[in-house]
Amino acid sequence: MSMVWSILMLAAMALAADEVPAVGRPSRHFYGAIGDQVWIAMHASPVTLRVEDSLVLTVTVTGATNPDRIERPDLRQLEEYASRFYIDDLPDEGPTSPGERRFRYRLRPKSVRARELPPLLFLYYQPKLKYFAATATQDEIALTVTPRNAVEPPTESAERPSFLYSIPSSDELIRRQPASPELILLSLAWIGPALAFAFWYRWWRWQNPAGVRLAQLRRMRVVRQALDELERLRANQSPELADRVVAITLGVLRERHGIASTAATPQEIVHALTRARIAPEVIAQADRFFHACDAARFGPAATDSIVLLAAANNLVLAVGFAE
């Protein structure tokens, strides 16, 4: 009975010696290895490759008393690796000697700047001295990475077709080739819809004169309402006058030419008018007007409200009847 108790006590002491304390445990580069002297090494193959080609990196840990409990180092969490390589985990290799653990990775360089595999830091716990020691690979592994689109010179001269060496005569060059049926059908497929739309539009205008007149009246109504609102603002000298003038003018632009509601700055408005194919002189007039409005809204009071209202009146007339 006493012998069994002694064996149990020795086993408990051995397990206690292999326990890593939670206090003071490093948050990075510690993967659970325990031992008096632990080493780490790296091997990569091949070391000459192109961008996005694969190499196999093997990380070997030796000297640990608990090799089966060592966690795999996650290279994706290391900036020096994640920024240079695409990383995939591979199945582990079996140990070649006691106390050894091997981890395998597939790495693919992201660019030609991946010139080496940086050294890998590895922390382990020394149970006798009760502290965390550090080890690392000796040196970085140099790589030769070439661009993906590099063209290798041909090993044999390619055979060239004979027609490349024949020079056509002048008669052959100026002779007109008849249009093929495929080319005629392709041309009709491109031009036919445009001609059909133009014919339909002219027919619609001829059959619906009231619709054309209604569009003109609607255009005049929008312009008329904007001019009336500007006229009512002439007696208003409040600080919000410039904001109201901008809102009225933008309303005409959106109603007449489909300017997006998100266009608010002079640059955005000019870009939208350019896309709407408005005349350049009208675009220049709008650019000057909205810059003057911004100066009146956000700067010191330097623009007379009468001048601003007159400029708004002219711009409404210009954009209201512009095609």
Side-chain angles (χ1 to χ4, degrees):
M1 184 67 180
S2 59
M3 182 178 296
V4 174
W5 179 257
S6 300
I7 293 173
L8 292 176
M9 289 296 294
L10 290 174
M13 292 176 63
L15 291 174
D18 285 343
E19 289 296 330
V20 179
V23 178
R25 180 180 298 187
S27 59
R28 297 188 62 193
H29 305 295
F30 176 68
Y31 306 101
I34 301 174
D36 295 331
Q37 188 67 48
V38 179
W39 296 273
I40 184 174
M42 294 195 310
H43 173 74
S45 178
V47 294
T48 300
L49 66 166
R50 297 182 302 173
V51 172
E52 296 188 358
D53 282 352
S54 299
L55 66 87
V56 176
L57 172 66
T58 303
V59 177
T60 305
V61 181
T62 56
T65 59
N66 61 338
D68 295 336
R69 297 170 58 187
I70 299 176
E71 300 174 3
R72 169 186 289 269
D74 191 355
L75 301 185
R76 288 179 288 268
Q77 300 298 323
L78 304 179
E79 176 63 23
E80 58 270 24
Y81 277 88
S83 62
R84 304 178 187 179
F85 301 94
Y86 301 105
I87 304 170
D88 298 307
D89 295 338
L90 295 177
D92 299 344
E93 283 189 343
T96 58
S97 60
E100 182 181 88
R101 183 70 182 274
R102 291 189 174 190
F103 302 100
R104 299 169 65 241
Y105 307 85
R106 179 186 292 111
L107 305 183
R108 292 180 293 133
K110 294 182 178 180
S111 67
V112 295
R113 291 190 294 271
R115 300 184 181 92
E116 71 276 337
L117 295 172
L120 186 63
L121 179 62
F122 192 88
L123 302 180
Y124 64 95
Y125 180 68
Q126 285 191 343
K128 292 183 180 179
L129 301 179
K130 298 185 182 303
Y131 83 103
F132 293 89
T135 184
T137 53
Q138 295 297 323
D139 296 309
E140 61 197 21
I141 299 177
L143 300 176
T144 301
V145 181
T146 56
R148 184 70 184 177
N149 56 356
V151 179
E152 299 179 358
T155 56
E156 297 180 0
S157 59
E159 294 184 1
R160 299 174 176 85
S162 58
F163 72 86
L164 292 178
Y165 302 96
S166 62
I167 302 176
S169 63
S170 58
D171 294 337
E172 293 176 341
L173 292 175
I174 64 176
R175 183 183 305 141
R176 294 177 59 88
Q177 297 293 333
S180 62
E182 293 81 3
L183 181 60
I184 296 175
L185 292 176
L186 183 61
S187 301
L188 290 177
W190 280 96
I191 302 174
L195 293 176
F197 176 77
F199 174 78
W200 172 85
Y201 180 69
R202 293 184 63 88
W203 176 85
W204 177 83
R205 287 179 62 93
W206 177 65
Q207 292 289 332
N208 299 275
V212 178
R213 181 60 179 168
L214 181 61
Q216 294 175 348
L217 292 175
R218 184 172 179 269
R219 178 190 312 171
M220 295 178 61
R221 179 180 59 82
V222 172
V223 175
R224 186 71 263 170
Q225 288 179 350
L227 294 177
D228 291 342
E229 291 185 26
L230 291 174
E231 184 64 27
R232 286 192 291 269
L233 289 177
R234 289 186 181 276
N236 184 4
Q237 300 295 327
S238 65
E240 292 80 13
L241 183 139
D243 294 334
R244 186 61 188 147
V245 169
V246 170
I248 294 171
T249 312
L250 284 178
V252 177
L253 291 176
R254 291 163 184 164
E255 184 72 20
R256 281 287 295 114
H257 301 290
I259 303 303
S261 58
T262 55
T265 65
Q267 292 81 6
E268 294 172 344
I269 295 170
V270 168
H271 179 69
L273 290 175
T274 303
R275 294 185 60 184
R277 300 183 182 276
I278 304 301
E281 58 272 13
V282 178
I283 295 177
Q285 181 181 353
D287 187 28
R288 293 191 300 270
F289 169 75
F290 284 107
H291 273 96
C293 288
D294 282 357
R297 295 166 66 193
F298 307 115
T303 304
D304 187 8
S305 60
I306 302 300
V307 175
L308 193 64
L309 287 170
N313 190 87
N314 294 334
L315 182 60
V316 167
L317 291 174
V319 299
F321 294 98
E323 294 295 341

